[in-house]
Amino acid sequence: MIASLSLILLCQLAGEVIVRGLGLPMPGPVLGLMFLLWLLLARDRFNILARGPLAGGGVETTSRGLLAHLSLLFVPAGVGVVQKLDLVAAHGLAFAAVLALSVVLTLLATVGTFLVASRLMLREKKSAP
Amino acid sequence: MNDNPFALWVYLSQSPLLWLTVTLLTYAIADAVSLKTNRNPLANPVLHSMWVIGVFLLLTGTSYTTYFGGAQFVHFLLGPATVALAVPLYENRMQVAAAILPMLAALAVGSVTAIISVVWLAEAAGLPRTVVLSLAPKSVTAGVAMGISESLHADPSLTAVAVVLTGIIGAIIVTPLMNRFGITDFRARGFAVGIAAHGIGTARAFQVDAVAGVFAGIAMSLNALVTSLLVPLAVTLLVR
């Protein structure tokens, strides 16, 4: 478990170092995600990598543990609303309404595009000889 | 025993131990309630933990900075949790590879809609300029959004609040909305909530369906990538 956690942190660290070092406009943890994914895929191909946290489902179990309570991790940032009570009093309703409307629009636009695109793809596959 | 009954409180209220315990305990109770209600969207554990802890801080006159001294250990895990999303992605790689085109199309449309709609709506509602700027990256995960907000000279702590509220709204709304429109493709449902409502939406998606959770996780990480590129562009084009 410690080795798995270290591997996850190492991926994040490598991501941060590269993002900061090269001034890339992307978040370090996202690059870390790509590193871990690459390691998992490489392990299936090269047996030599299948050791430590990459063997016997070590890093998989730890990751699942971290993700099981993903929403807990947002609580500290959310409590930050106590610092913004003046703003809530002044614009709270507009603020919430704007966010809610934008969320609904985003959900519908995304789900619609996904469904249309996957239907187009299916049709193309069927019409192909 | 202590002479002053407040001495213990003064000591504890400054230590990370108390605030970390309060955060975990409140969440554990909120999560148990959510489980009892069969994961009713309105029993969202983040929403209820947030106001309970907030009220507790106000009643005890504790500053957010003091609270964060303890809660930062939880907050820190947002980064490693993002890296950990590689695992569900790896385990469902066949399904993901099969849906790569619909995902890219939905990502493009979804991330642009998320930014433009919130900037336009906020301007139409007459919100002040700093608020508009702070709202722009609201659909990506907290750490990333705060970074974007900082680079725009907006208010990162306001962005964090907007991000969490967006996530909660998305997590509450997604199930009834998708059922209302009769959408049964859990890949599409998950992907949409990951774009619109990042990690809180993803957590909700994992509660509903494993495949939806995976697609939400991918959407969330792709959106973090795209939004950090798009928001600065959108802001120069849209905000006067």
Side-chain angles (χ1 to χ4, degrees), chain A residues 12 25-26 43-44 63-64 71 76 80 84 102 121, chain B residues 27 64 80 87 90-91 98 117 138 155 157 225 228-229:
Chain A
Q12 189 186 350
M26 69 193 290
R43 171 196 67 183
D44 292 346
S63 296
R64 254 178 250 121
S71 41
K84 302 288 165 196
S102 170
M121 234 176 75
Chain B
Y27 181 82
Y64 181 67
V87 167
Y90 164 78
E91 287 171 338
S117 64
K138 57 101 176 101
D155 180 350
S157 57
L225 206 72
S228 37
L229 300 170

mmCIF file with all atom_site columns, all heavy atoms in Angstrom, chain A residues 12 25-26 43-44 63-64 71 76 80 84 102 121, chain B residues 27 64 80 87 90-91 98 117 138 155 157 225 228-229:
data_model
loop_
_atom_site.group_PDB
_atom_site.id
_atom_site.type_symbol
_atom_site.label_atom_id
_atom_site.label_alt_id
_atom_site.label_comp_id
_atom_site.label_asym_id
_atom_site.label_entity_id
_atom_site.label_seq_id
_atom_site.pdbx_PDB_ins_code
_atom_site.Cartn_x
_atom_site.Cartn_y
_atom_site.Cartn_z
_atom_site.occupancy
_atom_site.B_iso_or_equiv
_atom_site.pdbx_formal_charge
_atom_site.auth_seq_id
_atom_site.auth_comp_id
_atom_site.auth_asym_id
_atom_site.auth_atom_id
_atom_site.pdbx_PDB_model_num
ATOM 1   N N   . GLN A 1 12  ? 2.516   11.935 -9.911  1.00 0.00 ? 12  GLN A N   1
ATOM 2   C CA  . GLN A 1 12  ? 2.070   13.318 -9.781  1.00 0.00 ? 12  GLN A CA  1
ATOM 3   C C   . GLN A 1 12  ? 3.265   14.268 -9.748  1.00 0.00 ? 12  GLN A C   1
ATOM 4   O O   . GLN A 1 12  ? 3.260   15.323 -10.388 1.00 0.00 ? 12  GLN A O   1
ATOM 5   C CB  . GLN A 1 12  ? 1.230   13.487 -8.518  1.00 0.00 ? 12  GLN A CB  1
ATOM 6   C CG  . GLN A 1 12  ? 0.558   14.850 -8.439  1.00 0.00 ? 12  GLN A CG  1
ATOM 7   C CD  . GLN A 1 12  ? -0.155  15.083 -7.120  1.00 0.00 ? 12  GLN A CD  1
ATOM 8   O OE1 . GLN A 1 12  ? -0.302  14.160 -6.322  1.00 0.00 ? 12  GLN A OE1 1
ATOM 9   N NE2 . GLN A 1 12  ? -0.580  16.299 -6.888  1.00 0.00 ? 12  GLN A NE2 1
ATOM 10  N N   . PRO A 1 25  ? 0.646   24.536 -20.303 1.00 0.00 ? 25  PRO A N   1
ATOM 11  C CA  . PRO A 1 25  ? -0.620  25.048 -19.796 1.00 0.00 ? 25  PRO A CA  1
ATOM 12  C C   . PRO A 1 25  ? -1.571  23.929 -19.395 1.00 0.00 ? 25  PRO A C   1
ATOM 13  O O   . PRO A 1 25  ? -2.728  23.913 -19.790 1.00 0.00 ? 25  PRO A O   1
ATOM 14  C CB  . PRO A 1 25  ? -1.175  25.821 -20.999 1.00 0.00 ? 25  PRO A CB  1
ATOM 15  C CG  . PRO A 1 25  ? -0.623  25.103 -22.181 1.00 0.00 ? 25  PRO A CG  1
ATOM 16  C CD  . PRO A 1 25  ? 0.686   24.491 -21.768 1.00 0.00 ? 25  PRO A CD  1
ATOM 17  N N   . MET A 1 26  ? -1.084  22.939 -18.640 1.00 0.00 ? 26  MET A N   1
ATOM 18  C CA  . MET A 1 26  ? -1.965  21.865 -18.187 1.00 0.00 ? 26  MET A CA  1
ATOM 19  C C   . MET A 1 26  ? -1.651  21.528 -16.730 1.00 0.00 ? 26  MET A C   1
ATOM 20  O O   . MET A 1 26  ? -0.562  21.812 -16.249 1.00 0.00 ? 26  MET A O   1
ATOM 21  C CB  . MET A 1 26  ? -1.786  20.627 -19.060 1.00 0.00 ? 26  MET A CB  1
ATOM 22  C CG  . MET A 1 26  ? -0.429  19.964 -18.867 1.00 0.00 ? 26  MET A CG  1
ATOM 23  S SD  . MET A 1 26  ? -0.043  18.760 -20.120 1.00 0.00 ? 26  MET A SD  1
ATOM 24  C CE  . MET A 1 26  ? -1.180  17.484 -19.731 1.00 0.00 ? 26  MET A CE  1
ATOM 25  N N   . ARG A 1 43  ? 3.305   -2.349 -18.464 1.00 0.00 ? 43  ARG A N   1
ATOM 26  C CA  . ARG A 1 43  ? 3.475   -3.547 -17.646 1.00 0.00 ? 43  ARG A CA  1
ATOM 27  C C   . ARG A 1 43  ? 2.918   -4.789 -18.338 1.00 0.00 ? 43  ARG A C   1
ATOM 28  O O   . ARG A 1 43  ? 3.464   -5.882 -18.236 1.00 0.00 ? 43  ARG A O   1
ATOM 29  C CB  . ARG A 1 43  ? 2.764   -3.337 -16.310 1.00 0.00 ? 43  ARG A CB  1
ATOM 30  C CG  . ARG A 1 43  ? 2.693   -4.590 -15.471 1.00 0.00 ? 43  ARG A CG  1
ATOM 31  C CD  . ARG A 1 43  ? 1.685   -4.448 -14.387 1.00 0.00 ? 43  ARG A CD  1
ATOM 32  N NE  . ARG A 1 43  ? 0.328   -4.367 -14.930 1.00 0.00 ? 43  ARG A NE  1
ATOM 33  C CZ  . ARG A 1 43  ? -0.745  -4.188 -14.185 1.00 0.00 ? 43  ARG A CZ  1
ATOM 34  N NH1 . ARG A 1 43  ? -0.624  -4.013 -12.894 1.00 0.00 ? 43  ARG A NH1 1
ATOM 35  N NH2 . ARG A 1 43  ? -1.936  -4.142 -14.716 1.00 0.00 ? 43  ARG A NH2 1
ATOM 36  N N   . ASP A 1 44  ? 1.782   -4.624 -19.033 1.00 0.00 ? 44  ASP A N   1
ATOM 37  C CA  . ASP A 1 44  ? 1.184   -5.765 -19.714 1.00 0.00 ? 44  ASP A CA  1
ATOM 38  C C   . ASP A 1 44  ? 2.064   -6.251 -20.860 1.00 0.00 ? 44  ASP A C   1
ATOM 39  O O   . ASP A 1 44  ? 1.965   -7.391 -21.287 1.00 0.00 ? 44  ASP A O   1
ATOM 40  C CB  . ASP A 1 44  ? -0.197  -5.383 -20.257 1.00 0.00 ? 44  ASP A CB  1
ATOM 41  C CG  . ASP A 1 44  ? -1.168  -5.146 -19.125 1.00 0.00 ? 44  ASP A CG  1
ATOM 42  O OD1 . ASP A 1 44  ? -0.838  -5.546 -17.991 1.00 0.00 ? 44  ASP A OD1 1
ATOM 43  O OD2 . ASP A 1 44  ? -2.234  -4.548 -19.361 1.00 0.00 ? 44  ASP A OD2 1
ATOM 44  N N   . SER A 1 63  ? -5.636  2.859  -5.660  1.00 0.00 ? 63  SER A N   1
ATOM 45  C CA  . SER A 1 63  ? -6.349  3.869  -6.448  1.00 0.00 ? 63  SER A CA  1
ATOM 46  C C   . SER A 1 63  ? -7.845  3.779  -6.214  1.00 0.00 ? 63  SER A C   1
ATOM 47  O O   . SER A 1 63  ? -8.522  4.793  -6.063  1.00 0.00 ? 63  SER A O   1
ATOM 48  C CB  . SER A 1 63  ? -6.070  3.676  -7.936  1.00 0.00 ? 63  SER A CB  1
ATOM 49  O OG  . SER A 1 63  ? -4.716  3.884  -8.196  1.00 0.00 ? 63  SER A OG  1
ATOM 50  N N   . ARG A 1 64  ? -8.351  2.541  -6.170  1.00 0.00 ? 64  ARG A N   1
ATOM 51  C CA  . ARG A 1 64  ? -9.788  2.379  -5.935  1.00 0.00 ? 64  ARG A CA  1
ATOM 52  C C   . ARG A 1 64  ? -10.159 2.930  -4.569  1.00 0.00 ? 64  ARG A C   1
ATOM 53  O O   . ARG A 1 64  ? -11.208 3.543  -4.412  1.00 0.00 ? 64  ARG A O   1
ATOM 54  C CB  . ARG A 1 64  ? -10.186 0.911  -6.065  1.00 0.00 ? 64  ARG A CB  1
ATOM 55  C CG  . ARG A 1 64  ? -10.941 0.664  -7.359  1.00 0.00 ? 64  ARG A CG  1
ATOM 56  C CD  . ARG A 1 64  ? -11.315 -0.788 -7.531  1.00 0.00 ? 64  ARG A CD  1
ATOM 57  N NE  . ARG A 1 64  ? -10.527 -1.365 -8.595  1.00 0.00 ? 64  ARG A NE  1
ATOM 58  C CZ  . ARG A 1 64  ? -9.716  -2.402 -8.458  1.00 0.00 ? 64  ARG A CZ  1
ATOM 59  N NH1 . ARG A 1 64  ? -9.584  -3.001 -7.292  1.00 0.00 ? 64  ARG A NH1 1
ATOM 60  N NH2 . ARG A 1 64  ? -9.051  -2.849 -9.485  1.00 0.00 ? 64  ARG A NH2 1
ATOM 61  N N   . SER A 1 71  ? -15.682 12.423 -3.349  1.00 0.00 ? 71  SER A N   1
ATOM 62  C CA  . SER A 1 71  ? -16.397 13.659 -3.014  1.00 0.00 ? 71  SER A CA  1
ATOM 63  C C   . SER A 1 71  ? -15.947 14.245 -1.674  1.00 0.00 ? 71  SER A C   1
ATOM 64  O O   . SER A 1 71  ? -16.017 15.454 -1.482  1.00 0.00 ? 71  SER A O   1
ATOM 65  C CB  . SER A 1 71  ? -17.906 13.478 -3.067  1.00 0.00 ? 71  SER A CB  1
ATOM 66  O OG  . SER A 1 71  ? -18.296 12.265 -2.528  1.00 0.00 ? 71  SER A OG  1
ATOM 67  N N   . PRO A 1 76  ? -13.199 20.440 2.011   1.00 0.00 ? 76  PRO A N   1
ATOM 68  C CA  . PRO A 1 76  ? -12.448 21.610 2.497   1.00 0.00 ? 76  PRO A CA  1
ATOM 69  C C   . PRO A 1 76  ? -12.583 22.834 1.586   1.00 0.00 ? 76  PRO A C   1
ATOM 70  O O   . PRO A 1 76  ? -12.788 23.945 2.088   1.00 0.00 ? 76  PRO A O   1
ATOM 71  C CB  . PRO A 1 76  ? -11.012 21.108 2.532   1.00 0.00 ? 76  PRO A CB  1
ATOM 72  C CG  . PRO A 1 76  ? -11.125 19.650 2.723   1.00 0.00 ? 76  PRO A CG  1
ATOM 73  C CD  . PRO A 1 76  ? -12.346 19.238 1.960   1.00 0.00 ? 76  PRO A CD  1
ATOM 74  N N   . GLY A 1 80  ? -14.956 26.793 2.143   1.00 0.00 ? 80  GLY A N   1
ATOM 75  C CA  . GLY A 1 80  ? -14.469 28.143 1.859   1.00 0.00 ? 80  GLY A CA  1
ATOM 76  C C   . GLY A 1 80  ? -15.571 29.151 1.621   1.00 0.00 ? 80  GLY A C   1
ATOM 77  O O   . GLY A 1 80  ? -15.337 30.358 1.652   1.00 0.00 ? 80  GLY A O   1
ATOM 78  N N   . LYS A 1 84  ? -17.007 33.916 1.976   1.00 0.00 ? 84  LYS A N   1
ATOM 79  C CA  . LYS A 1 84  ? -17.642 34.689 0.898   1.00 0.00 ? 84  LYS A CA  1
ATOM 80  C C   . LYS A 1 84  ? -19.068 35.061 1.254   1.00 0.00 ? 84  LYS A C   1
ATOM 81  O O   . LYS A 1 84  ? -19.890 35.252 0.360   1.00 0.00 ? 84  LYS A O   1
ATOM 82  C CB  . LYS A 1 84  ? -17.643 33.854 -0.389  1.00 0.00 ? 84  LYS A CB  1
ATOM 83  C CG  . LYS A 1 84  ? -16.281 33.438 -0.843  1.00 0.00 ? 84  LYS A CG  1
ATOM 84  C CD  . LYS A 1 84  ? -15.523 34.611 -1.399  1.00 0.00 ? 84  LYS A CD  1
ATOM 85  C CE  . LYS A 1 84  ? -14.061 34.291 -1.517  1.00 0.00 ? 84  LYS A CE  1
ATOM 86  N NZ  . LYS A 1 84  ? -13.264 35.503 -1.693  1.00 0.00 ? 84  LYS A NZ  1
ATOM 87  N N   . SER A 1 102 ? -26.060 27.032 -16.262 1.00 0.00 ? 102 SER A N   1
ATOM 88  C CA  . SER A 1 102 ? -24.888 26.644 -17.044 1.00 0.00 ? 102 SER A CA  1
ATOM 89  C C   . SER A 1 102 ? -24.650 25.138 -16.956 1.00 0.00 ? 102 SER A C   1
ATOM 90  O O   . SER A 1 102 ? -24.285 24.502 -17.951 1.00 0.00 ? 102 SER A O   1
ATOM 91  C CB  . SER A 1 102 ? -23.664 27.417 -16.544 1.00 0.00 ? 102 SER A CB  1
ATOM 92  O OG  . SER A 1 102 ? -22.500 26.903 -17.129 1.00 0.00 ? 102 SER A OG  1
ATOM 93  N N   . MET A 1 121 ? -21.306 7.124  -35.878 1.00 0.00 ? 121 MET A N   1
ATOM 94  C CA  . MET A 1 121 ? -20.227 6.144  -35.999 1.00 0.00 ? 121 MET A CA  1
ATOM 95  C C   . MET A 1 121 ? -20.773 4.756  -36.310 1.00 0.00 ? 121 MET A C   1
ATOM 96  O O   . MET A 1 121 ? -20.258 4.037  -37.153 1.00 0.00 ? 121 MET A O   1
ATOM 97  C CB  . MET A 1 121 ? -19.443 6.092  -34.692 1.00 0.00 ? 121 MET A CB  1
ATOM 98  C CG  . MET A 1 121 ? -17.964 6.310  -34.864 1.00 0.00 ? 121 MET A CG  1
ATOM 99  S SD  . MET A 1 121 ? -17.169 6.341  -33.268 1.00 0.00 ? 121 MET A SD  1
ATOM 100 C CE  . MET A 1 121 ? -17.174 4.609  -32.831 1.00 0.00 ? 121 MET A CE  1
ATOM 101 N N   . TYR B 2 27  ? -18.380 14.227 7.235   1.00 0.00 ? 27  TYR B N   1
ATOM 102 C CA  . TYR B 2 27  ? -18.578 13.562 5.945   1.00 0.00 ? 27  TYR B CA  1
ATOM 103 C C   . TYR B 2 27  ? -19.079 12.133 6.149   1.00 0.00 ? 27  TYR B C   1
ATOM 104 O O   . TYR B 2 27  ? -19.969 11.678 5.428   1.00 0.00 ? 27  TYR B O   1
ATOM 105 C CB  . TYR B 2 27  ? -17.297 13.568 5.121   1.00 0.00 ? 27  TYR B CB  1
ATOM 106 C CG  . TYR B 2 27  ? -17.493 12.909 3.782   1.00 0.00 ? 27  TYR B CG  1
ATOM 107 C CD1 . TYR B 2 27  ? -18.049 13.614 2.726   1.00 0.00 ? 27  TYR B CD1 1
ATOM 108 C CD2 . TYR B 2 27  ? -17.173 11.566 3.594   1.00 0.00 ? 27  TYR B CD2 1
ATOM 109 C CE1 . TYR B 2 27  ? -18.269 13.006 1.503   1.00 0.00 ? 27  TYR B CE1 1
ATOM 110 C CE2 . TYR B 2 27  ? -17.391 10.951 2.369   1.00 0.00 ? 27  TYR B CE2 1
ATOM 111 C CZ  . TYR B 2 27  ? -17.940 11.681 1.334   1.00 0.00 ? 27  TYR B CZ  1
ATOM 112 O OH  . TYR B 2 27  ? -18.163 11.073 0.128   1.00 0.00 ? 27  TYR B OH  1
ATOM 113 N N   . TYR B 2 64  ? -11.501 30.488 8.500   1.00 0.00 ? 64  TYR B N   1
ATOM 114 C CA  . TYR B 2 64  ? -11.319 29.447 7.491   1.00 0.00 ? 64  TYR B CA  1
ATOM 115 C C   . TYR B 2 64  ? -9.855  29.009 7.438   1.00 0.00 ? 64  TYR B C   1
ATOM 116 O O   . TYR B 2 64  ? -9.557  27.835 7.226   1.00 0.00 ? 64  TYR B O   1
ATOM 117 C CB  . TYR B 2 64  ? -11.792 29.953 6.130   1.00 0.00 ? 64  TYR B CB  1
ATOM 118 C CG  . TYR B 2 64  ? -11.661 28.928 5.034   1.00 0.00 ? 64  TYR B CG  1
ATOM 119 C CD1 . TYR B 2 64  ? -12.448 27.781 5.039   1.00 0.00 ? 64  TYR B CD1 1
ATOM 120 C CD2 . TYR B 2 64  ? -10.746 29.096 4.007   1.00 0.00 ? 64  TYR B CD2 1
ATOM 121 C CE1 . TYR B 2 64  ? -12.330 26.830 4.051   1.00 0.00 ? 64  TYR B CE1 1
ATOM 122 C CE2 . TYR B 2 64  ? -10.624 28.145 2.999   1.00 0.00 ? 64  TYR B CE2 1
ATOM 123 C CZ  . TYR B 2 64  ? -11.420 27.014 3.026   1.00 0.00 ? 64  TYR B CZ  1
ATOM 124 O OH  . TYR B 2 64  ? -11.298 26.075 2.048   1.00 0.00 ? 64  TYR B OH  1
ATOM 125 N N   . PRO B 2 80  ? -3.417  13.336 -5.955  1.00 0.00 ? 80  PRO B N   1
ATOM 126 C CA  . PRO B 2 80  ? -3.257  11.890 -6.108  1.00 0.00 ? 80  PRO B CA  1
ATOM 127 C C   . PRO B 2 80  ? -4.515  11.201 -6.629  1.00 0.00 ? 80  PRO B C   1
ATOM 128 O O   . PRO B 2 80  ? -4.428  10.255 -7.414  1.00 0.00 ? 80  PRO B O   1
ATOM 129 C CB  . PRO B 2 80  ? -2.945  11.420 -4.681  1.00 0.00 ? 80  PRO B CB  1
ATOM 130 C CG  . PRO B 2 80  ? -2.351  12.603 -4.008  1.00 0.00 ? 80  PRO B CG  1
ATOM 131 C CD  . PRO B 2 80  ? -2.969  13.815 -4.644  1.00 0.00 ? 80  PRO B CD  1
ATOM 132 N N   . VAL B 2 87  ? -6.439  4.238  -13.180 1.00 0.00 ? 87  VAL B N   1
ATOM 133 C CA  . VAL B 2 87  ? -6.779  2.826  -12.982 1.00 0.00 ? 87  VAL B CA  1
ATOM 134 C C   . VAL B 2 87  ? -8.135  2.441  -13.597 1.00 0.00 ? 87  VAL B C   1
ATOM 135 O O   . VAL B 2 87  ? -8.190  1.521  -14.407 1.00 0.00 ? 87  VAL B O   1
ATOM 136 C CB  . VAL B 2 87  ? -6.658  2.442  -11.486 1.00 0.00 ? 87  VAL B CB  1
ATOM 137 C CG1 . VAL B 2 87  ? -7.302  1.105  -11.217 1.00 0.00 ? 87  VAL B CG1 1
ATOM 138 C CG2 . VAL B 2 87  ? -5.191  2.418  -11.103 1.00 0.00 ? 87  VAL B CG2 1
ATOM 139 N N   . TYR B 2 90  ? -7.683  2.488  -17.269 1.00 0.00 ? 90  TYR B N   1
ATOM 140 C CA  . TYR B 2 90  ? -6.943  1.313  -17.753 1.00 0.00 ? 90  TYR B CA  1
ATOM 141 C C   . TYR B 2 90  ? -7.849  0.082  -17.794 1.00 0.00 ? 90  TYR B C   1
ATOM 142 O O   . TYR B 2 90  ? -7.859  -0.665 -18.773 1.00 0.00 ? 90  TYR B O   1
ATOM 143 C CB  . TYR B 2 90  ? -5.745  1.080  -16.835 1.00 0.00 ? 90  TYR B CB  1
ATOM 144 C CG  . TYR B 2 90  ? -5.105  -0.278 -16.965 1.00 0.00 ? 90  TYR B CG  1
ATOM 145 C CD1 . TYR B 2 90  ? -4.255  -0.580 -18.022 1.00 0.00 ? 90  TYR B CD1 1
ATOM 146 C CD2 . TYR B 2 90  ? -5.364  -1.275 -16.023 1.00 0.00 ? 90  TYR B CD2 1
ATOM 147 C CE1 . TYR B 2 90  ? -3.678  -1.823 -18.143 1.00 0.00 ? 90  TYR B CE1 1
ATOM 148 C CE2 . TYR B 2 90  ? -4.786  -2.517 -16.131 1.00 0.00 ? 90  TYR B CE2 1
ATOM 149 C CZ  . TYR B 2 90  ? -3.943  -2.795 -17.190 1.00 0.00 ? 90  TYR B CZ  1
ATOM 150 O OH  . TYR B 2 90  ? -3.379  -4.029 -17.311 1.00 0.00 ? 90  TYR B OH  1
ATOM 151 N N   . GLU B 2 91  ? -8.633  -0.103 -16.726 1.00 0.00 ? 91  GLU B N   1
ATOM 152 C CA  . GLU B 2 91  ? -9.450  -1.308 -16.647 1.00 0.00 ? 91  GLU B CA  1
ATOM 153 C C   . GLU B 2 91  ? -10.572 -1.338 -17.679 1.00 0.00 ? 91  GLU B C   1
ATOM 154 O O   . GLU B 2 91  ? -11.059 -2.407 -18.038 1.00 0.00 ? 91  GLU B O   1
ATOM 155 C CB  . GLU B 2 91  ? -10.018 -1.455 -15.228 1.00 0.00 ? 91  GLU B CB  1
ATOM 156 C CG  . GLU B 2 91  ? -8.921  -1.874 -14.259 1.00 0.00 ? 91  GLU B CG  1
ATOM 157 C CD  . GLU B 2 91  ? -9.346  -1.839 -12.813 1.00 0.00 ? 91  GLU B CD  1
ATOM 158 O OE1 . GLU B 2 91  ? -10.311 -1.123 -12.488 1.00 0.00 ? 91  GLU B OE1 1
ATOM 159 O OE2 . GLU B 2 91  ? -8.691  -2.521 -12.001 1.00 0.00 ? 91  GLU B OE2 1
ATOM 160 N N   . ALA B 2 98  ? -13.330 2.175  -27.911 1.00 0.00 ? 98  ALA B N   1
ATOM 161 C CA  . ALA B 2 98  ? -14.433 2.029  -28.858 1.00 0.00 ? 98  ALA B CA  1
ATOM 162 C C   . ALA B 2 98  ? -15.242 3.316  -28.977 1.00 0.00 ? 98  ALA B C   1
ATOM 163 O O   . ALA B 2 98  ? -15.889 3.553  -29.995 1.00 0.00 ? 98  ALA B O   1
ATOM 164 C CB  . ALA B 2 98  ? -15.334 0.881  -28.433 1.00 0.00 ? 98  ALA B CB  1
ATOM 165 N N   . SER B 2 117 ? -21.371 29.550 -21.601 1.00 0.00 ? 117 SER B N   1
ATOM 166 C CA  . SER B 2 117 ? -22.674 29.756 -20.963 1.00 0.00 ? 117 SER B CA  1
ATOM 167 C C   . SER B 2 117 ? -22.513 30.469 -19.631 1.00 0.00 ? 117 SER B C   1
ATOM 168 O O   . SER B 2 117 ? -23.277 31.378 -19.319 1.00 0.00 ? 117 SER B O   1
ATOM 169 C CB  . SER B 2 117 ? -23.399 28.420 -20.783 1.00 0.00 ? 117 SER B CB  1
ATOM 170 O OG  . SER B 2 117 ? -22.693 27.585 -19.895 1.00 0.00 ? 117 SER B OG  1
ATOM 171 N N   . LYS B 2 138 ? -15.384 27.169 -13.748 1.00 0.00 ? 138 LYS B N   1
ATOM 172 C CA  . LYS B 2 138 ? -16.106 26.453 -12.694 1.00 0.00 ? 138 LYS B CA  1
ATOM 173 C C   . LYS B 2 138 ? -16.353 24.972 -12.947 1.00 0.00 ? 138 LYS B C   1
ATOM 174 O O   . LYS B 2 138 ? -16.665 24.249 -12.023 1.00 0.00 ? 138 LYS B O   1
ATOM 175 C CB  . LYS B 2 138 ? -17.440 27.148 -12.395 1.00 0.00 ? 138 LYS B CB  1
ATOM 176 C CG  . LYS B 2 138 ? -18.345 27.276 -13.632 1.00 0.00 ? 138 LYS B CG  1
ATOM 177 C CD  . LYS B 2 138 ? -19.443 26.256 -13.703 1.00 0.00 ? 138 LYS B CD  1
ATOM 178 C CE  . LYS B 2 138 ? -20.364 26.467 -14.859 1.00 0.00 ? 138 LYS B CE  1
ATOM 179 N NZ  . LYS B 2 138 ? -20.108 25.583 -16.013 1.00 0.00 ? 138 LYS B NZ  1
ATOM 180 N N   . ASP B 2 155 ? -10.430 35.744 -8.467  1.00 0.00 ? 155 ASP B N   1
ATOM 181 C CA  . ASP B 2 155 ? -10.388 35.415 -7.042  1.00 0.00 ? 155 ASP B CA  1
ATOM 182 C C   . ASP B 2 155 ? -10.410 33.885 -6.873  1.00 0.00 ? 155 ASP B C   1
ATOM 183 O O   . ASP B 2 155 ? -11.472 33.277 -6.940  1.00 0.00 ? 155 ASP B O   1
ATOM 184 C CB  . ASP B 2 155 ? -11.605 36.062 -6.376  1.00 0.00 ? 155 ASP B CB  1
ATOM 185 C CG  . ASP B 2 155 ? -11.662 35.788 -4.884  1.00 0.00 ? 155 ASP B CG  1
ATOM 186 O OD1 . ASP B 2 155 ? -10.883 34.945 -4.398  1.00 0.00 ? 155 ASP B OD1 1
ATOM 187 O OD2 . ASP B 2 155 ? -12.497 36.409 -4.208  1.00 0.00 ? 155 ASP B OD2 1
ATOM 188 N N   . SER B 2 157 ? -10.238 31.853 -4.397  1.00 0.00 ? 157 SER B N   1
ATOM 189 C CA  . SER B 2 157 ? -11.058 31.237 -3.347  1.00 0.00 ? 157 SER B CA  1
ATOM 190 C C   . SER B 2 157 ? -12.536 31.276 -3.735  1.00 0.00 ? 157 SER B C   1
ATOM 191 O O   . SER B 2 157 ? -13.302 30.379 -3.400  1.00 0.00 ? 157 SER B O   1
ATOM 192 C CB  . SER B 2 157 ? -10.816 31.911 -1.997  1.00 0.00 ? 157 SER B CB  1
ATOM 193 O OG  . SER B 2 157 ? -11.078 33.284 -2.082  1.00 0.00 ? 157 SER B OG  1
ATOM 194 N N   . LEU B 2 225 ? -7.773  19.449 -18.876 1.00 0.00 ? 225 LEU B N   1
ATOM 195 C CA  . LEU B 2 225 ? -6.752  19.753 -19.884 1.00 0.00 ? 225 LEU B CA  1
ATOM 196 C C   . LEU B 2 225 ? -7.238  20.852 -20.833 1.00 0.00 ? 225 LEU B C   1
ATOM 197 O O   . LEU B 2 225 ? -6.567  21.861 -21.055 1.00 0.00 ? 225 LEU B O   1
ATOM 198 C CB  . LEU B 2 225 ? -6.521  18.463 -20.671 1.00 0.00 ? 225 LEU B CB  1
ATOM 199 C CG  . LEU B 2 225 ? -5.202  18.253 -21.329 1.00 0.00 ? 225 LEU B CG  1
ATOM 200 C CD1 . LEU B 2 225 ? -4.187  17.968 -20.243 1.00 0.00 ? 225 LEU B CD1 1
ATOM 201 C CD2 . LEU B 2 225 ? -5.286  17.046 -22.253 1.00 0.00 ? 225 LEU B CD2 1
ATOM 202 N N   . SER B 2 228 ? -8.097  24.464 -19.284 1.00 0.00 ? 228 SER B N   1
ATOM 203 C CA  . SER B 2 228 ? -6.977  25.343 -18.944 1.00 0.00 ? 228 SER B CA  1
ATOM 204 C C   . SER B 2 228 ? -6.435  26.045 -20.193 1.00 0.00 ? 228 SER B C   1
ATOM 205 O O   . SER B 2 228 ? -5.826  27.097 -20.100 1.00 0.00 ? 228 SER B O   1
ATOM 206 C CB  . SER B 2 228 ? -5.877  24.590 -18.190 1.00 0.00 ? 228 SER B CB  1
ATOM 207 O OG  . SER B 2 228 ? -5.708  23.296 -18.672 1.00 0.00 ? 228 SER B OG  1
ATOM 208 N N   . LEU B 2 229 ? -6.697  25.461 -21.365 1.00 0.00 ? 229 LEU B N   1
ATOM 209 C CA  . LEU B 2 229 ? -6.298  26.131 -22.603 1.00 0.00 ? 229 LEU B CA  1
ATOM 210 C C   . LEU B 2 229 ? -7.361  27.125 -23.073 1.00 0.00 ? 229 LEU B C   1
ATOM 211 O O   . LEU B 2 229 ? -7.056  28.183 -23.594 1.00 0.00 ? 229 LEU B O   1
ATOM 212 C CB  . LEU B 2 229 ? -6.070  25.092 -23.715 1.00 0.00 ? 229 LEU B CB  1
ATOM 213 C CG  . LEU B 2 229 ? -5.002  24.038 -23.446 1.00 0.00 ? 229 LEU B CG  1
ATOM 214 C CD1 . LEU B 2 229 ? -5.050  22.948 -24.502 1.00 0.00 ? 229 LEU B CD1 1
ATOM 215 C CD2 . LEU B 2 229 ? -3.638  24.685 -23.415 1.00 0.00 ? 229 LEU B CD2 1
#
